[in-house]
Amino acid sequence: MFAIYKREMRAFFTSIIGYAYLFTYFLIGGGVFCYTTLYSMTADVSSFFQYMLLFSAVTLPVLTMKSFSEERKTRTEQLLLTAPVSIPAMIGGKFLACYTVFGGSVLVSSLYFVLLSRYAVIKVLLLLGNLVALLLVGMAFIAIGLFVSSLTENQLASAVGTFGIIFAFLAIGLLSNLLPNEYWLRYVFNSLSIFGRYQSLLSGAFEFSTIFYYLSVSAVFLYLTFRVYDRRRCQ
Amino acid sequence: MIKVEHLVKRFGSNYALNDVSFEIGEGEIVGLLGPNGAGKSTTMNIITGYLSSTSGSVEIGGVDILANPTEAKKQIGFLPEQPPLYGDMTVSEYLHFVYELKGAKQPEDEHLCAILETVKLTDVKSRLIRNLSKGYKQRVGIAGALVGDPKVVIFDEPTVGLDPKQILEVRNLLRNLAKKHTVVLSTHILAEVQSVCERVIIINRGKIIADEKTDAITRTIKDGYEYQAKIIGPGSEVVSALRAINGVRAATLTGERDAEALTYRIETERGCDVRRSVFELCREKDWPLVGMMPIATDLESVFIRLVDKSENKAR
């Protein structure tokens, strides 16, 4: 697994993808930070993280699009699948590599608030809660991205498909608002809404069910990725 | 070393493999031969664990590939039809990656240097794989398969797309590998099997139609022997005398000359060795016999005959 992790990290930074991702992340992230705190003259943590959720929904599909699509297209997956490495270890290596790039950039961008703390009072627990929220959502997005990437040889299709699924998860939350209060579907949509749960984390409500929800979404999509590979072998 | 039993692979309603069984011993060098789409690659992909079979079993060194894939795969080095190479890595980076991926135990640098030497890649080791020529890429693929010194190496059409010189080099390499490894290679080029393999398994439409020693297969399947004889003497007389020999089915002048000698093609009944009689005839008639040798029927004709036979049977 470690070999695959290393190779993925290398691939991010010997191609343009890693740099492009980091460049956009820090450019937009910096801009959002300036807009939500410095420009608005507040030390509000949540709105920065709210924007970063939307930003991640758009950029993470680009980070994950190559993971399996490229291997499949160039047939290098044959090397991985005939090597003494299990399918879960292969998926794990790729997942961790994407997560390192994402998580690393999120952690670095949270340093903005350390700087800000010199000029304003920052609620540290709230900041930590927000950080955990973004890191959890990112985990789910990456798992979705890897799953879609395992379905197609086409990187563009992979990115667009991932965005589609993420968008559906976001839209479910908005849709639930349109439904009558007592309707059961509203309850189901609310529970599935990535955005709704994210909001509750950002506001400082730290619920285990929410954390469990993000972990389950990630686990389900990673498991589906495993199934894709396992099934392909049997076809 | 490799034990394949009753392998069946179905894609929808098509049988890619239909009850294929064979066993390959340690140190053997075996060719899988068959026309395109016969099931060679499918067989190899199943042996290496890339595909799973619909039914049947595969054991590598006594380890079942489905029950314990990691252990089984440790014993295999595989070069698929299209070498699985990362264009963005240099040759040496790639081999280090494969080394880590396979969890090889040999001292890393020495082991990889030795492989680079074996496949003659030392000169290009720091070049990006994407910039290498087809022949070099193929060799990088072979090098990757050799990392970790696996007991079994499996090559799927290793010489496709190479120039004649490279083909000879790869064939030599394969022969050398057979000293230390069990080698299985697939090809649709018959000369390759003839020059490299001790044993050949012929597959057509997902079924094994022959599994024998390479030279035995050419000998046992053809209908009769053929010899070429060079005799100094009056052409037509020699031909009729040759035809009169017991066991000779046909004798013809080939039209080739070797100094004074004319060349004759002698076809005999199945399993009949007439060389002694030809020699006696020439001594009796005082026609100097300056050369005689059996003409090996090439695998090509054997192959076509076998394929036709199995297809007729199927009908």
Side-chain angles (χ1 to χ4, degrees):
Chain A
M1 178 161 116
F2 189 61
I4 294 178
Y5 171 77
K6 257 172 68 181
R7 140 95 217 141
E8 283 300 301
M9 288 302 284
R10 230 191 124 273
F12 278 135
F13 295 106
T14 49
S15 71
I16 195 165
I17 286 197
Y19 296 103
Y21 177 79
L22 291 182
F23 175 77
T24 328
Y25 185 90
F26 289 121
L27 185 74
I28 306 277
V32 168
F33 176 76
C34 291
Y35 178 72
T36 56
T37 57
L38 305 182
Y39 183 74
S40 326
M41 307 271 275
T42 67
D44 173 32
V45 172
S46 306
S47 38
F48 170 75
F49 282 94
Q50 200 147 40
Y51 281 111
M52 288 325 272
L53 170 82
L54 296 176
F55 175 72
S56 302
V58 179
T59 51
L60 278 181
V62 179
L63 198 64
T64 56
M65 67 181 183
K66 234 171 92 139
S67 298
F68 292 106
S69 309
E70 174 113 331
E71 301 264 7
R72 198 166 157 191
K73 196 171 172 191
T74 57
R75 298 289 198 97
T76 43
E77 65 171 19
Q78 224 165 346
L79 174 72
L80 305 182
L81 293 172
T82 57
V85 176
S86 62
I87 298 176
M90 174 181 84
I91 297 171
K94 290 193 174 268
F95 176 77
L96 282 182
C98 291
Y99 201 63
T100 307
V101 176
F102 166 74
S105 51
V106 168
L107 289 180
V108 170
S109 68
S110 66
L111 289 179
Y112 300 156
F113 291 97
V114 177
L115 290 177
L116 192 67
S117 69
R118 291 189 54 180
Y119 308 101
V121 180
I122 304 262
K123 293 176 189 147
V124 177
L125 277 179
L126 190 64
L127 174 64
L128 283 180
N130 278 258
L131 204 56
V132 169
L134 186 56
L135 288 174
L136 282 171
V137 175
M139 187 183 281
F141 286 177
I142 289 173
I144 294 171
L146 289 182
F147 166 65
V148 180
S149 175
S150 72
L151 295 175
T152 169
E153 288 186 10
N154 186 325
Q155 293 187 26
L156 191 66
S158 159
V160 172
T162 308
F163 180 71
I165 294 184
I166 291 176
F167 185 76
F169 267 106
L170 294 176
I172 280 177
L174 301 176
L175 211 64
S176 74
N177 293 336
L178 301 177
L179 294 171
N181 250 336
E182 295 303 311
Y183 196 41
W184 63 274
L185 209 56
R186 180 179 175 129
Y187 176 74
V188 173
F189 279 4
N190 250 330
S191 325
L192 285 176
S193 161
I194 281 189
F195 201 62
R197 288 183 178 273
Y198 188 71
Q199 290 285 359
S200 77
L201 270 185
L202 290 195
S203 63
F206 205 76
E207 287 166 17
F208 277 104
S209 71
T210 304
I211 293 172
F212 185 72
Y213 165 76
Y214 286 124
L215 291 178
S216 339
V217 171
S218 315
V220 164
F221 279 98
L222 290 178
Y223 177 72
L224 287 176
T225 315
F226 167 74
R227 289 296 302 159
V228 168
Y229 270 89
D230 201 46
R231 248 191 78 82
R232 184 121 50 81
R233 232 162 49 94
C234 301
Q235 266 171 2
Chain B
M1 199 69 225
I2 302 176
K3 194 168 164 191
V4 172
E5 275 181 336
H6 306 295
L7 217 55
V8 175
K9 178 71 184 173
R10 236 180 25 216
F11 294 107
S13 60
N14 277 343
Y15 281 88
L17 292 179
N18 194 351
D19 199 20
V20 166
S21 303
F22 56 85
E23 229 174 289
I24 295 174
E26 207 166 331
E28 264 193 286
I29 172 159
V30 178
L32 278 183
L33 187 66
N36 292 326
K40 296 171 304 216
S41 292
T42 309
T43 310
M44 295 190 140
N45 283 332
I46 292 174
I47 293 177
T48 54
Y50 179 60
L51 286 178
S52 68
S53 54
T54 309
S55 67
S57 69
V58 174
E59 276 181 24
I60 312 291
V63 184
D64 191 291
I65 188 90
L66 283 182
N68 194 349
T70 314
E71 268 318 299
K73 286 173 185 175
K74 270 187 191 160
Q75 306 182 56
I76 303 176
F78 181 38
L79 171 73
E81 210 169 340
Q82 190 182 332
L85 306 174
Y86 293 100
D88 60 349
M89 291 175 121
T90 66
V91 173
S92 143
E93 281 167 350
Y94 175 74
L95 293 182
H96 280 284
F97 165 64
V98 177
Y99 178 92
E100 278 180 37
L101 186 69
K102 288 187 175 179
K105 297 277 183 288
Q106 292 82 354
E108 189 165 354
D109 289 328
E110 282 167 48
H111 179 56
L112 297 183
C113 273
I115 290 175
L116 285 171
E117 272 307 309
T118 317
V119 295
K120 300 201 181 82
L121 279 174
T122 314
D123 295 343
V124 297
K125 69 176 178 188
S126 37
R127 281 180 56 185
L128 278 181
I129 293 177
R130 111 161 53 92
N131 298 334
L132 295 177
S133 70
K134 168 99 182 149
Y136 273 117
K137 280 185 184 155
Q138 193 75 8
R139 279 195 244 172
V140 179
I142 294 177
L146 296 180
V147 170
D149 240 342
K151 288 185 191 150
V152 180
V153 283
I154 298 179
F155 294 129
D156 197 353
E157 312 224 339
T159 55
V160 163
L162 303 185
D163 68 38
K165 187 165 168 275
Q166 290 167 334
I167 290 178
L168 287 180
E169 280 172 10
V170 169
R171 283 183 193 162
N172 278 332
L173 180 70
L174 291 174
R175 270 190 291 257
N176 285 333
L177 287 178
K179 289 171 194 156
K180 270 172 68 189
H181 309 258
T182 303
V183 181
V184 183
L185 69 114
S186 80
T187 177
H188 59 265
I189 305 161
L190 302 141
E192 194 152 286
V193 172
Q194 239 167 347
S195 76
V196 178
C197 302
E198 295 162 353
R199 182 177 145 199
V200 53
I201 297 174
I202 301 181
I203 301 185
N204 188 42
R205 299 196 176 185
K207 284 193 165 178
I208 293 185
I209 54 175
D211 176 358
E212 279 178 79
K213 295 267 174 218
T214 311
D215 43 355
I217 214 161
T218 50
R219 203 156 293 158
T220 53
I221 299 156
K222 62 186 181 176
D223 294 315
Y225 281 122
E226 282 175 0
Y227 296 96
Q228 192 192 46
K230 291 176 178 177
I231 300 168
I232 301 172
S236 52
E237 233 178 278
V238 176
V239 167
S240 47
L242 284 173
R243 281 183 186 156
I245 293 175
N246 202 6
V248 171
R249 207 161 48 176
T252 46
L253 263 169
T254 63
E256 280 172 50
R257 281 193 91 97
D258 183 358
E260 286 175 80
L262 293 170
T263 308
Y264 302 86
R265 190 185 180 90
I266 308 167
E267 239 176 89
T268 73
E269 301 294 340
R270 190 186 176 104
C272 205
D273 192 343
V274 295
R275 283 175 291 186
R276 199 187 172 92
S277 318
V278 173
F279 174 77
E280 299 285 352
L281 169 79
C282 292
R283 194 177 56 181
E284 215 172 87
K285 303 272 191 182
D286 204 15
W287 296 328
L289 174 68
V290 296
M292 178 155 57
M293 57 177 183
I295 302 169
T297 307
D298 56 348
L299 268 173
E300 206 97 27
S301 52
V302 172
F303 180 70
I304 290 166
R305 212 173 296 170
L306 275 171
V307 169
D308 284 350
K309 216 155 86 185
S310 79
E311 272 167 17
N312 283 337
K313 221 184 273 172
R315 254 175 242 145

